[in-house]
Amino acid sequence: MGKPRGFIEIPRKDPGYRPKEERIRDFNEVEKRLSDDELKEQSARCMDCGIPFCHGCGCPLGNLIPEWNDLVYHGHWKEALDLLYSTNNFPEFTGRVCPALCEAACTVGLNDEPVSIRQIEISLIEKGYKEGHIVPKPPEKRTGKKVVVIGSGPAGLSVADQLNHMGHSVTVYEQDQKAGGLLRYGIPDFKLDKKVICRRIDLMMAEGVVFETGVTIGRDISANYLLSRFDAVCIACGAREPRDLKIPGRELDGVFMAMDFLSQQNKRVGGETFAEKEIIAKGRKVLVVGGGDTGSDCVGTSIRQGALSVTQIEIMPKPPENRADSNPWPEWSYVLRTSSSHKEGCERMWNIMTKSFEGEGGKLKQLRCVKVEWETDPAGRPKTMREVPNSEFIIQADLVLIAMGFVGADKKGMICDIGIKLAKNGTVAVDGEGMTNVKGVFAAGDSVSGATLVVRAIAGGRSLAVNVDKYLKN
Ligand SMILES: Cc1cc2nc3c(=O)[nH]c(=O)nc-3n(C[C@H](O)[C@H](O)[C@H](O)COP(=O)(O)OP(=O)(O)OC[C@H]3O[C@@H](n4cnc5c(N)ncnc54)[C@H](O)[C@@H]3O)c2cc1C
Ligand code: SF4
């Protein structure tokens, strides 16, 4: 514990964002960084709890948070980085985009602001790169076993990284033109600069991982072929099948899925071309359906593209400003979150259901909506919804982006070809060791858990690597 009374004497400090007027003109990262002195001071707020909830209850990776906080306070940056790196393959990703489940579980957060754990994490890894500590470290010996990973999102990258360091020869197949999965084609550059992904992929390649991009397994190469060529197959294909809004008028020009819109912009920033019809918010009245993070990314992207107005609607009620009694610490807090994108100029509405898209000459002009109200269960959670009588109203919009989540893994192609069994929710079914019903075929990440978070995908990839290694040794 750096400073015994640190959590009493020192207030939390966040680095904040670049000024709004500046950041909406580009796609560069919006978040600023704390200085080394500020970070040391922030690490002093850690109480080195006997039971560190940040580590055990909050962080899916089990990051050794109180230990690195203490090392940072005493200026032992390299040792702190080594500890961080021992549980997290890619702190440069989580340090930028993680909602910080650790901070929601931090004991200081019981009656004050939690320790700035994510800020310490991002600074440790970036300092590590800058000072030359992050260099290729290929395994000393190879085992002779060959593993194929399908998908290069955070789950695929972490299983590949771990298995490569264990000495197995790893090939990653990716259907997109570049590796990274949703890190590259979902999350906007203003949250995660894609140079950060390239830097990591270059490092993994220098350590011996082979990347084959622009190859769809199940179309360009059959899954059966991979089964005959590799000792183990790891599916890390994500859960990208989007939930659609099948209401009258869905066919109108102007109604698109959020991911189609976001991936086009990420490709534009990355200098890639695409064959699909261009979706651009410039000069349009944008309506985002879905109040989650993907919706928030659509808001920030639309504003940067020059939308006339941006509105985000959500069917659920507005979350409370503070934790409800039914949502106590150290659980993840279901409270109102306002992202940097929301602050850039967007109207947000809750308790709204869309009834139909309406247009003229095949082009979208407006949405017919209705207000809803929710009955809550005894714990205060929304349970049953009903429409408010006579509450119908119109929202003018000529671009709608549907950001209503995902319904599971893509079932076509590879998964069908080799008869992989699915769970009821549309994800890949695996046993306690991460193996599917097909011997030697494993799965991890969103393809197993359903759409979730980068940190959980990395954690899933890491634990799968342990099981695959055990299987290969047997
Ligand atoms: C817009 C958006 C914003 C998000 N923002 C955040 C955030 O800020 N913080 C956060 O923690 N999480 C965020 N998430 C969630 C997070 O990105 C995912 O949970 C995470 O990327 C899942 O990792 P994964 O490796 O399991 O799958 P993915 O990242 O989806 O990667 C799967 C990869 O498999 C490839 N693939 C699929 N099928 C095949 C095939 N047949 N052959 C070859 N390749 C194939 C895909 O092309 C893809 O590259 C966001 C998600 C979205 C959609
Ligand atoms: S819960 Fe908070 S105060 Fe306690 S060890 Fe973790 S970071 Fe430090």
Side-chain angles (χ1 to χ4, degrees):
M1 184 177 189
K3 188 171 181 186
R5 287 176 58 82
F7 65 99
I8 298 170
E9 291 166 10
I10 305 166
R12 177 177 166 121
K13 181 164 189 188
D14 284 307
Y17 304 116
R18 291 192 289 131
K20 189 181 110 182
E21 295 67 32
E22 174 195 307
R23 68 182 194 247
I24 60 169
R25 297 209 176 88
D26 61 48
F27 281 87
N28 300 333
E29 285 185 1
V30 296
E31 195 172 54
K32 298 199 282 191
R33 296 277 153 71
L34 295 174
S35 69
D36 284 2
D37 285 345
E38 286 169 326
L39 285 166
K40 278 171 99 170
E41 192 171 52
Q42 289 301 304
S43 69
R45 297 185 69 235
C46 176
M47 303 190 293
D48 193 6
C49 303
I51 299 173
F53 285 90
C54 56
H55 149 90
C57 178
C59 181
L61 288 160
N63 279 346
L64 301 164
I65 296 161
E67 287 81 358
W68 22 279
N69 280 338
D70 184 59
L71 287 165
V72 166
Y73 180 75
H74 290 102
H76 303 308
W77 297 93
K78 170 69 173 59
E79 289 79 357
L81 171 65
D82 290 345
L83 265 194
L84 166 61
Y85 221 21
S86 70
T87 58
N88 184 354
N89 304 58
F90 313 123
E92 67 269 42
F93 303 154
T94 44
R96 284 176 168 83
V97 302
C98 193
L101 311 178
C102 52
E103 292 186 17
C106 171
T107 320
V108 182
L110 251 171
N111 53 7
D112 196 351
E113 293 288 311
V115 176
S116 315
I117 303 168
R118 187 174 61 81
Q119 288 304 326
I120 296 173
E121 176 182 22
I122 183 67
S123 301
L124 274 177
I125 184 73
E126 287 305 327
K127 204 171 162 62
Y129 270 110
K130 208 164 136 203
E131 293 178 358
H133 301 306
I134 311 291
V135 289
K137 289 183 187 137
E140 278 167 18
K141 268 203 217 150
R142 289 284 172 191
T143 60
K145 299 285 183 191
K146 291 191 295 178
V147 183
V148 62
V149 176
I150 308 168
S152 66
L157 292 180
S158 73
V159 73
D161 196 39
Q162 289 292 100
L163 288 169
N164 183 52
H165 282 122
M166 290 167 181
H168 307 303
S169 300
V170 183
T171 303
V172 179
Y173 281 104
E174 170 54 56
Q175 65 186 2
D176 287 328
Q177 290 310 310
K178 293 183 187 171
L182 288 175
L183 293 169
R184 186 181 293 275
Y185 294 106
I187 299 174
D189 287 69
F190 56 79
K191 276 163 66 182
L192 171 64
D193 188 327
K194 305 313 168 208
K195 286 200 253 350
V196 173
I197 306 173
C198 297
R199 182 177 66 181
R200 176 57 64 174
I201 302 291
D202 288 348
L203 192 81
M204 288 177 69
M205 282 165 59
E207 290 175 335
V209 178
V210 175
F211 285 89
E212 297 278 354
T213 56
V215 182
T216 304
I217 304 305
R219 192 192 65 191
D220 304 324
I221 297 182
S222 80
N224 277 313
Y225 174 78
L226 295 184
L227 278 172
S228 67
R229 289 288 304 271
F230 290 88
D231 299 300
V233 176
C234 301
I235 297 176
C237 294
R240 297 238 208 146
E241 203 159 309
R243 182 174 290 114
D244 207 342
L245 183 55
K246 291 183 178 144
I247 55 173
R250 172 66 184 84
E251 72 293 345
L252 288 169
D253 183 13
V255 184
F256 297 98
M257 301 309 291
M259 263 305 293
D260 295 336
F261 171 71
L262 292 173
S263 65
Q264 282 192 4
Q265 183 54 48
N266 288 13
K267 285 178 186 168
R268 245 178 242 118
V269 177
E272 280 185 64
T273 53
F274 46 87
E276 304 81 38
K277 181 182 167 178
E278 190 163 65
I279 313 167
I280 278 280
K282 189 173 170 54
R284 295 168 93 171
K285 284 175 256 162
V286 179
L287 186 110
V288 179
V289 183
D293 288 346
T294 303
S296 156
D297 291 343
C298 289
V299 169
T301 304
S302 300
I303 290 169
R304 280 162 183 73
Q305 288 185 357
L308 269 187
S309 64
V310 186
T311 308
Q312 186 179 20
I313 60 171
E314 167 61 50
I315 197 166
M316 300 301 289
K318 185 176 180 181
E321 300 277 343
N322 298 305
R323 282 180 188 273
D325 290 345
S326 56
N327 173 217
W329 171 91
E331 285 177 4
W332 174 248
S333 54
Y334 292 96
V335 294
L336 180 67
R337 291 194 157 74
T338 303
S339 68
S340 60
S341 297
H342 292 133
K343 290 179 184 158
E344 289 161 4
C346 145
E347 187 183 355
R348 298 167 82 186
M349 298 162 82
W350 288 267
N351 284 327
I352 306 292
M353 186 161 79
T354 32
K355 299 293 273 186
S356 60
F357 301 113
E358 299 176 348
E360 260 175 42
K363 287 197 187 308
L364 175 74
K365 289 204 86 171
Q366 60 184 37
L367 282 90
R368 192 166 292 274
C369 301
V370 67
K371 291 190 182 147
V372 296
E373 52 193 12
W374 289 85
E375 245 171 57
T376 50
D377 67 10
R381 289 178 292 246
K383 193 174 157 219
T384 25
M385 182 197 80
R386 62 167 179 270
E387 290 181 22
V388 176
N390 305 318
S391 65
E392 219 174 75
F393 67 103
I394 297 285
I395 303 180
Q396 301 291 330
D398 48 7
L399 177 61
V400 162
L401 302 168
I402 301 173
M404 293 175 30
F406 298 87
V407 292
D410 182 358
K411 282 110 198 149
K412 301 180 292 286
M414 174 204 35
I415 287 178
C416 288
D417 288 356
I418 48 173
I420 302 278
K421 276 200 184 134
L422 297 175
K424 274 194 194 129
N425 63 357
T427 57
V428 175
V430 291
D431 64 16
E433 249 101 70
M435 202 189 305
T436 67
N437 58 309
V438 181
K439 190 163 182 270
V441 180
F442 297 79
D446 277 10
S447 62
V448 172
S449 60
T452 173
L453 295 173
V454 170
V455 67
R456 292 206 178 101
I458 298 174
R462 284 175 68 89
S463 53
L464 181 61
V466 174
N467 289 322
V468 173
D469 181 55
K470 227 188 280 168
Y471 170 81
L472 292 173
K473 282 182 177 149
N474 288 335

